[in-house]
Amino acid sequence: MILAEKILTLRKQNGWSQEELAARLGVSRQSVSKWESAASIPDLERLLALSALFGVSTDYLLKDALESPQEAPGGDILPEEGPARPVSLEEANRYLALVRRYAPQMACGAAGCILSPIPLLLLSGAAELGRLPIGQETAAGAGVAALLVCIAAAVALIIFAGMKLESYEFLEKLPISPAYGVAGLAEKRRESFALCHRLCTAGGVCLCILSAVPLFLFYSFGADEWALVCCTTVVLVFVALGAGLLIWSSEVMESCEKLLEEGDYTREKKAENRRNAPFIVAYWCIVTALYLTVSLLSGAWDISWTIWVAAGGLFIALLNLSSLLYARKTS
């Protein structure tokens, strides 16, 4: 391994982000990023600081031939994690290209699920208000059929994209050993996409917040019932656009974090995700079933989407509680 890879490996073994390592050394995060991508090398003072901080010899840091850390001054040896899955530069490039290609498809699938009630709302509302020459039962039946078709198409998009990326699921679950150049590639892609990610995140959140505006306007001006139906469809469109932006940009950004083992994909987080996997699958299946059941039985599609908001908040709380209980159990 070269110096850049050793700094990256040692930082991750200690569970530090680039910002945390930079703070301990009194340098900028950009400096650490350049060291790890081999764009620059630390000066002698920083090399000595790295040696002391990581508990390895300067020989280990500077000599490419040394593949395992030498004894630290105190006689300790860095603990070794289990075998890591190697990731070549070609494999990393192929993965990043696939994510760029299929992330929009996954975003469209999620947006399609949110938009699926619109035909039912429009048909049922138009029939009830006499805007269509068909009965309410016929309109409701056609609306439910359209809803199911939309959901099926949206889920098919998500499943197809997931199948294309299925061979890279190990990036979310296993520790990895990136080949030379992989870290630099992922860091470069992340930095080039950072501005777009921030804009999409801000835009997505704003659209979700603004989605409530049409309903407030309706209740403020007291329009007719058909206006309420139209306002409800606009709400769903805003939420779908916001969710689509958030999902697309997050998928692209997370692809870089997976290769760097940062953010939600550190080795500690991967171990936690493996523990929580059965709960996560069961939880969201129950939430989906609850959403469809409540929406179909009540017909209140204009407010039933809030189930997802409440479920998201409860999900985060439950995961935090699980982490707290596990930490107490292992301490």
Side-chain angles (χ1 to χ4, degrees):
M1 289 191 294
I2 64 172
L3 175 61
E5 293 176 303
K6 290 176 181 178
I7 294 174
L8 175 65
T9 300
L10 290 167
R11 173 176 65 78
K12 291 181 176 178
Q13 285 179 347
N14 282 275
W16 299 333
S17 66
Q18 288 184 340
E19 289 83 357
E20 290 171 324
L21 178 57
R24 292 170 185 268
L25 295 172
V27 298
S28 65
R29 188 197 69 81
Q30 287 74 17
S31 296
V32 175
S33 175
K34 288 180 180 179
W35 297 344
E36 294 183 353
S37 61
S40 67
I41 59 173
D43 57 28
L44 179 58
E45 180 183 356
R46 303 304 177 199
L47 280 171
L48 292 173
L50 285 167
S51 173
L53 185 62
F54 289 137
V56 297
S57 67
T58 52
D59 278 350
Y60 168 70
L61 291 174
L62 295 173
K63 294 181 179 180
D64 294 352
L66 296 178
E67 295 293 333
S68 60
Q70 302 299 309
E71 269 198 16
D76 296 327
I77 296 179
L78 285 175
E80 297 214 1
E81 300 186 81
R85 164 66 156 84
V87 179
S88 66
L89 184 59
E90 179 184 4
E91 193 174 23
N93 265 308
R94 188 163 56 248
Y95 169 66
L96 292 174
L98 283 173
V99 171
R100 289 267 183 165
R101 180 177 179 182
Y102 290 106
Q105 184 171 306
M106 297 181 74
C108 288
C113 289
I114 297 172
L115 294 172
S116 60
I118 288 180
L120 176 59
L121 286 171
L122 293 176
L123 288 172
S124 297
E128 183 179 352
L129 297 173
R131 292 175 175 265
L132 282 178
I134 58 175
Q136 293 183 27
E137 293 183 359
T138 302
V144 170
L147 179 147
L148 294 175
V149 169
C150 289
I151 291 178
V155 171
L157 282 175
I158 296 172
I159 292 176
F160 180 77
M163 290 173 63
K164 291 295 183 180
L165 295 168
E166 187 177 8
S167 59
Y168 296 95
E169 286 184 355
F170 68 88
L171 293 172
E172 303 176 11
K173 302 175 181 177
L174 303 176
I176 62 173
S177 176
Y180 174 71
V182 170
L185 170 68
E187 185 63 39
K188 183 177 179 181
R189 292 286 180 88
R190 182 170 67 174
E191 289 181 354
S192 66
F193 189 71
L195 177 59
C196 182
H197 177 62
R198 287 194 291 270
L199 292 174
C200 288
T201 301
V205 171
C206 288
L207 282 170
C208 290
I209 294 173
L210 292 174
S211 65
V213 170
L215 291 178
F216 283 123
L217 291 175
F218 169 79
Y219 289 114
S220 297
F221 293 99
D224 60 23
E225 293 186 12
W226 177 245
L228 175 60
V229 173
C230 295
C231 286
T232 303
T233 61
V234 173
V235 168
L236 293 175
V237 170
F238 272 54
V239 173
L241 290 175
L245 283 175
L246 291 171
I247 292 171
W248 171 69
S249 64
S250 295
E251 287 290 331
V252 175
M253 183 60 74
E254 287 177 1
S255 66
C256 300
E257 292 182 344
K258 290 175 185 178
L259 292 172
L260 293 167
E261 289 191 298
E262 293 183 357
D264 290 330
Y265 301 98
T266 62
R267 296 190 177 187
E268 293 78 9
K269 284 286 187 181
K270 289 178 181 179
E272 183 180 332
N273 290 337
R274 288 196 295 272
R275 293 195 306 270
N276 293 330
F279 163 73
I280 293 172
V281 172
Y283 180 86
W284 288 112
C285 285
I286 292 172
V287 171
T288 302
L290 177 65
Y291 167 71
L292 292 175
T293 302
V294 170
S295 300
L296 289 172
L297 292 179
S298 67
W301 297 93
D302 56 325
I303 58 173
S304 62
W305 61 272
T306 57
I307 290 175
W308 294 106
V309 179
L314 179 61
F315 178 70
I316 294 172
L318 290 174
L319 284 186
N320 289 335
L321 178 61
S322 173
S323 298
L324 180 61
L325 292 175
Y326 181 80
R328 287 184 177 180
K329 181 180 177 180
T330 55
S331 62

